[in-house]
Amino acid sequence: MGSTGERFVRAVVARDIPGLRGVLADPVDFQALTPGRHWQASSGAEVAGEIILGRWFGAGDDIVELCSMQAGRVADREHLAYRLRVRRSGRDYLVEQQAYYDADGPRIAWLRILCSGYQPVMDEFAADVAADQG
């Protein structure tokens, strides 16, 4: 089944709001930083349905692939780094997030996320041209 953090990421990738709410404690101490905003919430429902799967990865966004996921620890704090390939408006993007969390049993009670934002993925032809010019 994986760690609490891995279950969190898999619920995001699956766009599983009930699963995501199930891995978040309620209340949860949540803060995040994306390129355009600082986010705060204390309700698992708000974090899951309104922020992560409502705004960050909204209805028009297709999470195509979980490209990578690495779990670790910083002393007593859990760390998770994950990279997603997301299709938005017909274009592919990479989104990387670094998450630090504390679990209270099987649920995340304290969560901080830093997000890279949506970074455009160059198609193979553009990548080949850029490599030839570099």
Side-chain angles (χ1 to χ4, degrees), residues 83-98:
R83 182 176 294 173
L84 309 173
R85 187 179 191 111
V86 181
R87 186 160 296 130
R88 173 183 268 183
S89 302
R91 292 198 57 193
D92 282 1
Y93 297 88
L94 290 178
V95 178
E96 184 172 292
Q97 295 186 335
Q98 301 285 324

Side-chain angles (χ1 to χ4, degrees), residues 26-84:
D26 206 2
V28 62
D29 181 350
F30 171 81
Q31 293 191 44
L33 186 60
T34 58
R37 182 172 169 187
H38 174 240
W39 304 80
Q40 290 182 289
S42 59
S43 157
E46 181 181 5
V47 172
E50 295 176 32
I51 296 173
I52 295 175
L53 295 176
R55 298 285 302 273
W56 293 358
F57 306 107
D61 301 326
D62 182 23
I63 301 173
V64 177
E65 176 185 9
L66 172 61
C67 301
S68 65
M69 178 171 50
Q70 294 179 303
R73 294 180 68 88
V74 179
D76 289 337
R77 180 144 294 145
E78 299 289 339
H79 171 254
L80 199 61
Y82 48 98
R83 182 176 294 173
L84 309 173

